Amino acid sequence: MLNRFKKPFLGLFLCLLGGLSFAQSGRFQQSVNYEMEVFMDVETNQYEGKQKLVYSNNSPDTLHRVFYHLYYNAFQPGSMMDVRSRTIADPDRRVGDRIANLSPEEIGYLHVSNLTVNGKPAQAVEVGTILEVNLPEPILPNSQAVLELDFNGQVPIQIRRSGRDSAEGVRYSMSQWYPKLANYDEQGWHANPYIGREFYGIWGDFDVKITIDKTYTIGGTGYLQNPNEIGHGYEDAGVIVPEPAGNTLTWHFKAPMVHDFMWGADPKYQHDKVVMDNGITVHHFFIPGEKTSENWEKLKEFTPKAIAYMSEHFGQYPYKQFSVVQGGDGGMEYAMSTLVTGERSLPSLVGVMVHELAHSWYHGVLATNESLYPWMDEGFTSYATNLTMGAIFPRREGNVHQGSYRGYISLALSGLEEPMSTHSDHYHTNRAYSSAAYSKGAVFMEQLGYVIGADVRDRGLLRYFNTWKFKHPNVNDLIRIMEKESGIELDWYKEYFVYSTKTIDYAIKEVKANGDKTELTLQRIGLMPMPLDVVITYKDGSQEMIYLPLVIMRGEKGEEAGAPKRIHTEDWPWVNLEKTLVIDRKMDSIKSIEIDPSKRLADVQPENNKVEL
Ligand SMILES: [Zn+2]
């Protein structure tokens, strides 16, 4: 997630959440306020805590049950994550059979006891990674309930995302560590077992106190409330931090308007702080060494640059801090922070930071349900990453989205593709998931610029963020914004590109002379219809464009900056497989004709898109 620098914003967001127009649209949003205290024993790697949660049921429904996620129970032999990781056709090598081989001291667990609702004991059953709770009394519509519990956990050996003693030697990567209430929305409960991927949470304010051995430095979500007591690089300039009386320190964090809380902890962390002109503080936490120190020093230049670029292009980062924390097993996004592996080359380190930071917009602030719409998070994050990297870390010439197009087209031609509407845990292969979510999701956005015009898409993306931030938009919400911004109907684009695996393939079938004119016949071979930009290049070097929107768009895009002059616009009803056009010039004056030289159309057979005469 990102950060924001002015307090009034947060207040405004809260007002919007309860706003009338949102409720009138038939949508509602639950809210939570967590207070947690946790004690971590760094010898046993076990922790104990208390949680008090004030839950606001803003739905029109009476709730008789609630569900909590207990993610650490996934890291046990025989868990759903274990079985799935071993039996999927193309296992994630970070997991494979590692869970099956964990000893009792190495597994993870998270158990809940003494659960009460408004002071009354509640019955709860632990079913793997979900706690099913029968409420002693129902929670009525538009009312609040106080849920209190004790929890105890063991941090698993680092396998996936969170854990202890990572491959790079980071002691604690504490994500998915606390009992987390499942979300309930207009589609009901989302009590998905933790099998593999992605999350969906409820916004609220977190107040977290972590007690841990005093040698450990913590970085992650939230704002430290007692920096001058804690030190570890958080103290104000010039402050002498008193030596703690005992062996532990209690770190007190507050995090307003987030849907998750992560922390990383290690006694060897170096903590660097950069304060941006707009007041946002960037924190870096890494273990100094030959493979880290030099590149993490350089990273201090790029994280602020990336925050500034993304705030300008995708919407203002709404928090006051962002922390890049060495830990985890690759790169993973959390509220106001990320866990990334740190022993990387500079391009790789900057690339992973930019990607995880970009999640602050799509995972953090828009927070689409990532299980149901992983492409709206990973895909748009990849799209934003491509552009940001192109702007702040120029490495190569050419189209920054090229890799995303290659990934999608390779999947489409592989026979393994599944529709992007597939639930992220239910894809048949890891490859189909990742190429759809990351690559096709990015292509969706870049290609949308081809359909409605790049500048209109850019404005639409900002409008999408500003309209739907902190509201969990779904695919229809996005499409409606883009329709309103462009004046073009886009339901067909969603239905083909998201809900089906039909592909795009247009071709130039024939070019022939007809006296002083030239006849051009185009062909639709693929099952997905698209508007066409057909560019004619003449032997004198000049270019002209024929534009063929679809009838079902009920509109057309405006002239795009840098595109050749449009000489002709004509609808192409999608049912027709061929279309013949007459060009008012002699064939021998034409050098070449090409469908979409901008290469934004995700045509799976681009070889037949161009004819040289
Ligand atoms: Zn990602």
Side-chain angles (χ1 to χ4, degrees), residues 38-48 72 103-110 152-158 163-166 170-174 177 211-213 216 263 265-267:
V38 58
F39 174 83
M40 171 65 80
D41 183 333
V42 300
E43 300 297 324
T44 62
N45 303 304
Q46 293 171 356
Y47 59 101
E48 287 180 358
Y72 275 6
S103 71
E105 295 73 39
E106 293 171 334
I107 63 166
Y109 60 74
L110 180 57
N152 67 93
Q154 177 167 290
V155 188
I157 285 283
Q158 172 81 47
R164 65 180 152 101
D165 302 314
S166 74
V170 174
R171 288 252 49 226
Y172 294 117
S173 301
M174 297 297 290
W177 58 277
T211 302
I212 191 167
D213 184 280
Y216 280 65
W263 52 288
D266 195 283

Side-chain angles (χ1 to χ4, degrees), residues 416-478:
L416 296 173
E417 191 184 0
E418 296 170 60
M420 283 206 290
S421 51
T422 306
H423 184 290
S424 63
D425 278 324
H426 294 267
Y427 276 89
H428 188 56
T429 60
N430 282 321
R431 180 184 174 193
Y433 159 75
S434 56
S435 298
Y438 290 74
S439 301
K440 194 179 184 185
V443 169
F444 175 98
M445 190 55 77
E446 176 61 1
Q447 185 175 249
L448 182 62
Y450 170 77
V451 176
I452 65 178
D455 54 340
V456 180
R457 184 266 328 274
D458 292 348
R459 287 201 307 270
L461 202 50
L462 273 171
R463 182 171 170 181
Y464 172 57
F465 182 83
N466 289 322
T467 305
W468 284 100
K469 59 191 171 191
F470 300 104
K471 288 185 190 162
H472 302 300
N474 62 41
V475 59
N476 294 315
D477 302 321
L478 169 75

Side-chain angles (χ1 to χ4, degrees), residues 75 77 92 142 178 245 309 317 322 360 377 394 414 484 503 533 597:
F75 301 101
D92 181 333
N142 302 309
Y178 61 94
Y309 179 89
Y317 181 77
F322 184 73
S360 296
D377 174 34
S414 71
K484 288 176 193 172
T503 54
D533 291 352

Side-chain angles (χ1 to χ4, degrees), residues 333 355-356 359 378 381 438:
E333 66 278 10
H355 179 94
E356 305 312 332
H359 271 298
E378 293 298 352
T381 291
Y438 290 74

Side-chain angles (χ1 to χ4, degrees), residues 359-374:
H359 271 298
S360 296
W361 279 254
Y362 302 103
H363 157 91
V365 175
L366 288 161
T368 291
N369 180 339
E370 296 171 71
S371 296
L372 292 179
Y373 311 101

